[in-house]
Amino acid sequence: MSRFSLSFRLDPQHKAPLYRQIYLRVKQAIMDGKLKTGSRVPSVRAMASELGVARATVENAYGLLTAEGFLQSRGQAGTTVSAPASLSLPSSSPESETKVHKPINPMLPSVSSLPFQLGLPALDAFPRAIWSRIVSRQIRHTSMNDLGHPPLTGVDTLRNSVARYLQLSRGFTCRPEQIFICGGYAPVLDLIIGSLLLPGDGVWLEDPGYPVTQAFFRAAGATPVAVSVDDEGMNIQQAVADFPQARFAVVTPAHQSPTGVTMSLSRRMALLDWAAKQQAWVIEDDYDSEFRYQGQPLPSLKSLDTHGRVIYAGTFSKTLFPALRCSYVVVPESLVEKVEAYCPLRICATPPLLQSSIAEFIEQGHFYRHLKRMRQLYAERRGYLEQALTAAFSTDMLRINQQVGGIQLCAKLNRSLDDAVIAKCAREQGLAVQALSDWQVFRREAGDELRPNGLLMGFPNIISQEEAGFLSQRLRKIFSEISGVGKYP
Amino acid sequence: MSRFSLSFRLDPQHKAPLYRQIYLRVKQAIMDGKLKTGSRVPSVRAMASELGVARATVENAYGLLTAEGFLQSRGQAGTTVSAPASLSLPSSSPESETKVHKPINPMLPSVSSLPFQLGLPALDAFPRAIWSRIVSRQIRHTSMNDLGHPPLTGVDTLRNSVARYLQLSRGFTCRPEQIFICGGYAPVLDLIIGSLLLPGDGVWLEDPGYPVTQAFFRAAGATPVAVSVDDEGMNIQQAVADFPQARFAVVTPAHQSPTGVTMSLSRRMALLDWAAKQQAWVIEDDYDSEFRYQGQPLPSLKSLDTHGRVIYAGTFSKTLFPALRCSYVVVPESLVEKVEAYCPLRICATPPLLQSSIAEFIEQGHFYRHLKRMRQLYAERRGYLEQALTAAFSTDMLRINQQVGGIQLCAKLNRSLDDAVIAKCAREQGLAVQALSDWQVFRREAGDELRPNGLLMGFPNIISQEEAGFLSQRLRKIFSEISGVGKYP
């Protein structure tokens, strides 16, 4: 063991951060067979002390390797090498070759930190030191009364900061009282559904679309209406023709989830017209609009909402990080009282300590600076993946959707390939690729002309062209294994 | 203004903590008319510097005064005196005499920090310095990967710590995988209802009982069955006779919420027998069992559960503090897979940072020490209130339920008095007293023989005999105003 850990030195001048260097060296050692499956790697403390780095640096590297399935933590027994099944490594313990990753319900988004994981911002680029300083200061200033029952609807300072942010960045004005802080996307839906939905209400849902949305409306007794998405976003004309009497529509106008399409202005206007006539509610899930690579972020649908029919949902999971568990919903003035009355049943679950910390992070300008940096970074990292996929796949096999923002890439597959089979096999090999067909509102028969067929890939954590190449090759190999289309070199 | 702030000095030798001395002096000044309604009090900074104390000390005092309605924060305009309407003070600005507190939906628990607030542990006694140190250390050791999607079911270290705690203190053994960490009581119900409930399922509910429980089961399409509570807890025999085919029963066996009654052993056995025969699920809401003043806490119902029918719900809101937003549910082995499958829809909302901090707080022994101290403290503070109420009220007017634990006191009222009217008036005057009749499962007509008629009062934040006396006199005055029973001296 110690021979391994002594066999490399870190290069502080290297372009890659230290944790990344450790990650790459250990991964290489595993792939070269120098570290055998089942063997122990040095403890975080030992490795940190040998390399002369902070423990957090080693933890970052080990965490990444664990997430990718190369390492496995065995508690007291230490951390051992546990290569994903796809890499046929020399093995000293056959039982550790069994599947590392649990099968994931394909209808629901997985929430791992594997490569290609959807919905995950660039974790390496988040200003952790600043955040840590802010939270530490906030907790030192916690008074006795801050320990009591938290404000049902969220902490006032955060509601104020969000109102200012929305005005600056999303183009609409609201009072802080219209903003309800929530502990994630599900609590946002709980609040809306609990305050407003009646059983049997029709709900227009984008097809394909985020599976969680559908699950919640179904569970509440609503009638989901699948509305197809084309290159202008949700097909409003079709929806009005098919089911005009719906009471809700849920849309992702900035970058449609999952296709990445931006809803056209004429569709936006048609949607708002319908809502005004029908007295329906439009839920704008603005989950990643902040990340647009070309030009400014588009104004929100809410900014066009002259009749007060749009309920706007935002989240800090993508703009800050998912472990925060913090999101928010902005309701029209006419709904404030109704939603407030429901809040005692759905107390905001984000602890006030973290709400106040987010407010301070915004007010000190860190939030705006971070978003600006991420816009550039995500353009760069998407470029890595696009280039690597283009090199690994022919365009008649896989074709990348063009899009101008967001944090995931959507690629259409040739009809002869089955996206669900590929995604399942990829997941088993530790790649969190998702199948577009799993995001259908109603599952159609395989072979159906309209069946979406493609792959969804998160790219914010692909930090180099080299890594993008490595991951694309792994994916390409899976295609070969399954379909026999092409040969892996 | 400065004349007021200079007119008193703190006594570090005094038994009351510094914040309390400030609180009492300012309150006295308001009640004596030295500080007039509408006038500004010194800023926190100014007051702290004049008295030579930390700003947090003044913040604690002002926070308490604001919560009790004596002060009102006006943002940039500073903090002004705003006495509750009940105290007919000399007033210099009539408009500030209008009602300070919004009316509270009587069917739902309010969540203020007013005197008598239910469900609020002793905020002054929580070891904030230790907690702050632990959270600060945890955030310094946050690695990049900790920012990603959190574990759906909760952080492993916390699940392990809770399992050990339950074994030591609640008398049953479970695997950490049976424990699901949740962001409060509502998320616990969401998880159970979402995984297990079918529309139309019958649910036995304690009557009177916690209104939130009923609201959630109703919203999910269940059929609530009100089962009366007597001095042995829920009347199981009655429930079996009336509605044996229920699929759920929700009980608070340690100290029934709200009456404080402990469920007898024979009732416990009858409940478990029924559940085993009926294949029904018993939800044990063990919300405050930790606080028993005489002898050890009773073992949980779950510890008698040989057939695996009990779903156990616990919370850190009472054992630590409500602003944490953290609770947990322990499901029988047979349900683990089913609940896990539902978790992607209900991701644990408590941020991993705070989950890890709670785990460290438990593992370092602070949790056990704190509970032990609180058992003594709550016995003492309940004593203050009991003695003060006994002095202020005759027993034919108000009779205190005897109970051996919990953090709230239940007092029955004479039939000639209407608890709802008294509670409403008390709330308007800044006292968070609740009416027992508002906790009925089905609202009965006034005058009904069976109508519960009493008051619920939280006592953990009543820190002295003097304060208990002051509050009891305020309450007694409200009785006089409303009913003309007795005269206020």
Side-chain angles (χ1 to χ4, degrees), chain A residues 144-151, chain B residues 23 63-69 101 104 110-121 123 322-323 430-432 461 467:
Chain A
M144 195 183 84
N145 297 288
D146 296 329
L147 304 178
H149 293 295
Chain B
Y23 159 83
L64 203 55
L65 289 161
T66 306
E68 294 188 7
H101 308 287
I104 293 161
S110 64
V111 287
S112 66
S113 297
L114 299 175
F116 295 127
Q117 174 62 44
L118 300 187
L120 200 61
L123 300 183
L431 300 179
N461 291 288
E467 184 175 1

Side-chain angles (χ1 to χ4, degrees), chain A residues 142-148, chain B residues 15-21 23 56-57 60-61 64 68 113 120-130 317-322 370 373-374 376-378 380-381 384 459-464 467:
Chain A
T142 295
S143 80
M144 195 183 84
N145 297 288
D146 296 329
L147 304 178
Chain B
K15 205 182 146 204
L18 296 175
Y19 85 90
R20 199 79 192 178
Q21 294 185 43
Y23 159 83
T57 304
N60 282 345
L64 203 55
E68 294 188 7
S113 297
L120 200 61
L123 300 183
D124 62 320
F126 182 75
R128 270 189 293 142
I130 292 172
S317 288
K318 276 91 181 169
T319 49
L320 298 178
F321 56 92
H370 180 58
R373 284 179 52 227
M374 290 309 100
Q376 291 167 354
L377 189 71
Y378 292 166
E380 192 176 303
R381 292 186 176 179
Y384 295 151
F459 54 75
N461 291 288
I462 299 177
I463 74 155
S464 66
E467 184 175 1

Side-chain angles (χ1 to χ4, degrees), chain A residues 93-137:
Chain A
S93 90
E95 66 273 26
S96 67
E97 291 271 354
T98 53
K99 219 164 52 179
V100 178
H101 308 288
K102 280 195 196 172
I104 294 161
N105 178 351
M107 280 307 287
L108 295 172
S110 64
V111 287
S112 66
S113 297
L114 299 175
F116 295 128
Q117 174 62 45
L118 300 186
L120 200 61
L123 300 183
D124 62 319
F126 182 76
R128 271 188 293 142
I130 293 171
W131 176 249
S132 167
R133 213 160 55 229
I134 289 175
V135 176
S136 295
R137 182 168 52 231

Side-chain angles (χ1 to χ4, degrees), chain B residues 436-478:
Chain B
L436 196 53
S437 62
D438 283 334
W439 286 55
Q440 286 178 99
V441 175
F442 296 111
R443 314 278 248 145
R444 298 196 189 84
E445 294 305 308
D448 184 320
E449 270 295 291
L450 290 170
R451 183 178 178 279
N453 191 35
L455 295 180
L456 302 171
M457 293 169 247
F459 54 75
N461 291 288
I462 299 177
I463 74 155
S464 66
Q465 191 61 61
E466 179 195 10
E467 184 175 1
F470 172 74
L471 292 171
S472 299
Q473 288 302 331
R474 276 180 72 185
L475 196 59
R476 180 67 184 76
K477 185 164 171 234
I478 291 165

Side-chain angles (χ1 to χ4, degrees), chain B residues 55-115:
Chain B
R55 285 171 60 181
T57 304
V58 180
E59 277 165 5
N60 282 345
Y62 279 18
L64 203 55
L65 289 161
T66 306
E68 294 188 7
F70 288 102
L71 296 183
Q72 189 172 19
S73 172
R74 297 184 173 277
Q76 297 286 5
T79 299
T80 58
V81 175
S82 144
S86 63
L87 306 164
S88 38
L89 301 177
S91 164
S92 58
S93 90
E95 66 273 28
S96 67
E97 292 270 355
T98 53
K99 218 163 51 178
V100 178
H101 308 287
K102 278 196 197 170
I104 293 161
N105 178 349
M107 282 305 288
L108 294 172
S110 64
V111 287
S112 66
S113 297
L114 299 175

Side-chain angles (χ1 to χ4, degrees), chain A residues 60 128 142 144 190 346, chain B residues 60 128 142-144 190 346:
Chain A
N60 281 345
R128 271 188 293 142
T142 295
M144 195 183 84
D190 279 331
R346 300 281 185 188
Chain B
N60 282 345
R128 270 189 293 142
T142 295
S143 80
M144 195 184 84
D190 280 331
R346 298 282 185 188

Side-chain angles (χ1 to χ4, degrees), chain A residues 13-309:
Chain A
Q13 307 302 321
H14 197 283
K15 204 183 148 201
L18 294 176
Y19 85 90
R20 199 79 192 177
Q21 294 185 44
I22 300 172
Y23 158 82
L24 289 170
R25 299 303 282 265
V26 176
K27 187 156 84 173
Q28 201 56 53
I30 294 172
M31 299 189 68
D32 294 349
K34 286 182 193 156
L35 272 173
K36 306 236 181 290
T37 303
S39 65
R40 276 179 66 173
V41 294
S43 71
V44 168
R45 187 190 296 266
M47 177 76 101
S49 121
E50 279 195 40
L51 296 174
V53 297
R55 284 170 60 182
T57 305
V58 180
E59 276 166 4
N60 281 345
Y62 279 18
L64 204 53
L65 289 160
T66 306
E68 293 188 6
F70 288 102
L71 296 182
Q72 189 171 18
S73 171
R74 297 183 173 279
Q76 297 286 5
T79 300
T80 58
V81 175
S82 143
S86 62
L87 306 164
S88 38
L89 300 178
S91 164
S92 57
S93 90
E95 66 273 26
S96 67
E97 291 271 354
T98 53
K99 219 164 52 179
V100 178
H101 308 288
K102 280 195 196 172
I104 294 161
N105 178 351
M107 280 307 287
L108 295 172
S110 64
V111 287
S112 66
S113 297
L114 299 175
F116 295 128
Q117 174 62 45
L118 300 186
L120 200 61
L123 300 183
D124 62 319
F126 182 76
R128 271 188 293 142
I130 293 171
W131 176 249
S132 167
R133 213 160 55 229
I134 289 175
V135 176
S136 295
R137 182 168 52 231
Q138 285 286 344
I139 197 161
R140 275 197 311 277
H141 289 99
T142 295
S143 80
M144 195 183 84
N145 297 288
D146 296 329
L147 304 178
H149 293 295
L152 301 179
T153 51
V155 166
D156 280 345
T157 51
L158 181 56
R159 297 169 96 191
N160 286 323
S161 300
V162 169
R164 275 189 290 273
Y165 161 71
L166 291 173
Q167 184 168 23
L168 272 173
S169 299
R170 306 303 299 128
F172 67 92
T173 308
C174 64
R175 293 189 310 129
E177 289 75 11
Q178 292 173 258
I179 301 175
F180 295 80
I181 310 294
C182 299
Y185 183 58
V188 163
L189 291 182
D190 279 331
L191 203 61
I192 298 171
I193 287 173
S195 329
L196 300 176
L197 189 102
L198 301 171
D201 279 351
V203 185
W204 293 355
L205 297 175
E206 294 171 330
D207 190 12
Y210 190 44
V212 165
T213 310
Q214 186 195 162
F216 269 83
F217 277 98
R218 261 189 211 288
T223 305
V225 180
V227 184
S228 65
V229 170
D230 58 23
D231 56 6
E232 288 189 72
M234 181 188 257
N235 190 332
I236 308 300
Q237 286 72 13
Q238 182 215 318
V240 172
D242 288 357
F243 203 90
Q245 73 275 30
R247 268 196 74 220
F248 292 88
V250 188
V251 289
T252 50
H255 316 116
Q256 200 270 331
S257 171
T259 62
V261 166
T262 300
M263 188 183 273
S264 68
L265 185 62
S266 64
R267 289 274 174 87
R268 289 174 188 233
M269 299 314 293
L271 176 59
L272 295 175
D273 276 356
W274 163 79
K277 259 183 224 136
Q278 191 64 30
Q279 294 289 289
W281 301 110
V282 176
I283 301 168
E284 175 178 25
D285 178 9
D286 202 40
Y287 68 109
D288 74 350
S289 64
E290 287 86 353
F291 307 118
R292 192 180 166 89
Y293 322 133
Q294 293 150 21
Q296 285 295 303
L298 281 183
S300 59
L301 180 66
K302 177 74 187 164
S303 68
L304 304 170
D305 177 34
T306 48
H307 290 94
R309 307 308 307 174

